[in-house]
Amino acid sequence: NAEDMTRAIGYFHRAVELDPGYASAWASLSFCYLTQGVNGWVPVAEGAERARETATRALEIEPDLAAGHWALGSVHMYYDWDWKAAEACIRRALRLAPDDSLLIVRAANLLLNLGQVDEAAALVARALALDPLNAAAHVLSGWLESLAGRLAESERACRKALALGPNRMKIHFRLCDLHLLQGRADDALQEAEREVEDPFRLLGIALAERAL
């Protein structure tokens, strides 16, 4: 959530103050800044440009840092809308860190947004094989199952993600969306009201109220 992200930024800033050559900390800062922007916690342009600067800094220090390429690819994807550049960065990150389950999930998310559903699904399965406790992988698995029309499987994946990360944003919104697809508008409203982030809670409530 927004508060946790602000705290994380403070810790990563402290890390690079102690060691300005700590490339992974710069890459993590990039992820935090972009997350702030795309979720509306800071102006999107501000978050994206800070993310670009810190991702570039990470790659200047360590050109083969997978997290740095993923971070820069995310800026290309979510702010520049430069799909080719985003995909190139993500695929390089995957080559550099083929067994990093967190990076694999992030890559799968980007590929899903690019319409490469089958490859995204394969990556999610791989991430879960590497780390069955990866809540982000279960969330994305739930989304993929929903897109495939497997609604019961989607709900199981989302419930697993919720058990692993009860304060994680968007899970209750995903369940709200899923219940609407199932024709369960009352349940959808209850899930929407539990969503931890205001924009997704309000959107879910609006969708559920409309269905009711």
Side-chain angles (χ1 to χ4, degrees):
N1 58 36
E3 181 182 352
D4 289 338
M5 200 59 61
T6 299
R7 291 174 61 202
I9 287 172
Y11 288 130
F12 286 127
H13 268 298
R14 181 62 179 146
V16 296
E17 287 171 3
L18 291 167
D19 181 4
Y22 192 180
S24 293
W26 287 109
S28 295
L29 263 175
S30 177
F31 170 69
C32 292
Y33 285 140
L34 187 65
T35 301
Q36 283 188 319
V38 299
N39 286 298
W41 300 331
V42 301
V44 62
E46 176 185 324
E49 291 307 329
R50 285 181 175 177
R52 192 193 314 277
E53 291 169 7
T54 44
T56 301
R57 179 70 176 273
L59 291 171
E60 287 172 349
I61 297 167
E62 191 173 333
D64 287 334
L65 180 67
H69 289 287
W70 176 85
L72 187 58
S74 297
V75 177
H76 291 319
M77 179 75 184
Y78 292 109
Y79 184 67
D80 299 334
W81 297 356
D82 186 339
W83 320 124
K84 289 183 179 180
E87 185 174 4
C89 288
I90 290 306
R91 293 198 180 280
R92 184 167 181 183
L94 283 175
R95 288 194 298 272
L96 291 167
D99 295 327
D100 185 324
S101 66
L102 184 57
L103 285 176
I104 291 170
V105 173
R106 294 172 181 172
N109 190 57
L110 288 175
L111 291 175
L112 178 57
N113 278 280
L114 291 170
Q116 299 177 33
V117 179
D118 290 342
E119 188 173 4
L123 286 172
V124 170
R126 183 169 149 201
L128 287 170
L130 289 165
D131 180 10
L133 302 182
N134 188 324
H138 287 287
V139 174
L140 193 50
S141 176
W143 188 9
L144 286 161
E145 295 288 8
S146 179
L147 291 174
R150 296 187 288 268
L151 302 186
E153 291 86 343
S154 176
E155 183 167 0
R156 279 196 292 272
C158 289
R159 295 291 178 194
K160 179 68 172 179
L162 192 61
L164 292 167
N167 295 318
R168 189 178 184 86
M169 61 186 291
K170 297 184 187 178
I171 300 180
H172 286 293
F173 174 75
R174 288 282 175 219
L175 285 165
C176 167
D177 185 57
L178 176 62
H179 291 335
L180 289 174
L181 291 172
Q182 295 169 324
R184 298 162 54 188
D186 287 316
D187 292 336
L189 181 58
Q190 290 180 24
E191 291 294 348
E193 289 172 341
R194 296 187 185 109
E195 173 57 46
V196 297
E197 282 302 315
D198 284 341
F200 296 103
R201 182 170 64 255
L202 293 172
L203 175 57
I205 289 171
L207 292 170
E209 292 283 10
R210 172 66 179 82
L212 288 166

